[in-house]
Amino acid sequence: MAIAGGIIVIIAFAAIIKKYETRMVLLAAGFLMCFIGGVTGNAVATFSKTMVHGSLVPVICTVMGFSFVMKITTCDRHLVESISGVITRSKFILIPLATLLTWWINIAIPSAAGCSAAVGSILIPTLMAAGVHPAMAGAAVLAGTWGSAISPGQAHNIFVADLAQTDLMTVIMAQVPAAIVASIVAVVALTIIATMRKEGPDEARRLAYHAQLEKEEGGKDFKVNPLYALVPLVPLVLLVLGSKQIAVLPLTDVPTAMIVGTVLALIVTRQNPQEITKKFFDGMGEAYGGVIGLIVSAAVFTAGMSAMGLTDALIEAMKGSESIAKIAGAFGPFIIAVISGSGDAAALAFNGAITPQAASFGMSIIDLGSLAQMAGSIGRSMSPVAGAALVCAGLAKVSPMELSKRNALPMLLATITFMIVLFLGK
């Protein structure tokens, strides 16, 4: 049955590559696999459960609502215009800067989907305004959403520390050097890909983007208002300073930050409260129909994989590779994360079953456990069905598969680099 599931998954990904409606493909494949697996009810239950996901729905909907408010108040354009000159003069470092910035912020905001929503709502339009291709803009932010792998808030680090019977920071500090080198390799690879595809900052795309803004918002004689330009940054600042790791401000979640930003926009721009409110909820509706719709469809697809035994088969194949534990620890979680959109299940399965025996492979629990959880996080950053990918694709208005195609090689190289540097000299 797992083989049949694998065939359905391959056909589904091929259909998405062929640009068939992503939600239709994922839902159809998910329901079909659940039906064949004899658990059709699981597909419906997953559909219903994900529709009211307690964290993703409020985060993504409020982010998109805030984004719509930024557009009607023109605050987003004031921000873009205020930094467009600097960006234009920094063409070579623009894409790597966006990825590294996302990577470091993701340490403070461990949720990949939440970070991509908060950071992407600012960086993706900014990159596009500088003439970066929309798909590359989305890929640059998505490529940075595995910084959380070295976050104290990452559950896997706590799990590995418990296995190794050591403190959390010992586990994290063992990962940091290899993770930083891997992030640099990923950034360099993505920059090279952007250059080869001619998707970096381009004057023609920049002019077209600004012409579209003028068409939508009117007025060619545009003067930047510094206060307007600062408003889009407020939620991001609140999230970073109010994170558990920094804690300069009281703990702040994404919906709170976005609502505060919206109220601030209303105060600063003094626009009609009725129009601001209407646009905020219009944005929430757009997010639900588009991004949340994709996440719901992806969840049904993942449930179908489980129903066919495909996920268990992949995990069991990974567990059977004890003689080459380093390779299994890296590429088992990586592959499953790419296919399923989540690095959690694979990393936890590997660390629960294999990592306790690390000493028999000549390795430490910290090193093997860190490898598995890091590979899962990196693999998720190129998965077309990951929540972060769907958020970035929605903000860039492109197919999630377009982001995956651009991030595939950088994420693969990052995984290999992390493995090599982690075990260098050991």
Side-chain angles (χ1 to χ4, degrees), residues 175-245:
Q175 303 168 357
V176 168
I180 291 176
V181 174
S183 70
I184 293 172
V185 168
V187 163
V188 171
L190 186 62
T191 303
I192 292 173
I193 289 172
T195 302
M196 293 177 64
R197 296 176 68 104
K198 297 181 179 179
E199 292 182 349
D202 176 80
E203 185 65 13
R205 279 195 293 265
R206 188 184 75 83
L207 293 174
Y209 185 87
H210 284 270
Q212 183 64 28
L213 281 180
E214 290 173 357
K215 181 179 178 181
E216 292 176 358
E217 298 162 8
K220 294 186 178 181
D221 185 16
F222 191 87
K223 293 182 180 180
V224 172
N225 183 320
L227 284 178
Y228 284 31
L230 288 174
V231 172
L233 299 175
V234 170
L236 189 56
V237 172
L238 290 176
L239 287 169
V240 173
L241 296 183
S243 65
K244 291 180 181 179
Q245 288 71 42

Side-chain angles (χ1 to χ4, degrees), residues 29-43 300 303-305 307-308:
F31 270 96
L32 177 60
M33 288 189 286
C34 284
F35 175 75
I36 295 174
V39 287
T40 307
N42 283 7
V300 173
M305 289 175 56
M308 295 290 285

Side-chain angles (χ1 to χ4, degrees), residues 19 53 95 99 120 128 151 200-201 284 302 339 349 361 369 383:
K19 300 189 184 300
H53 196 288
I95 290 173
T99 300
M128 291 167 60
S151 170
M284 289 182 64
T302 303
I339 294 174
F361 309 139
S383 170

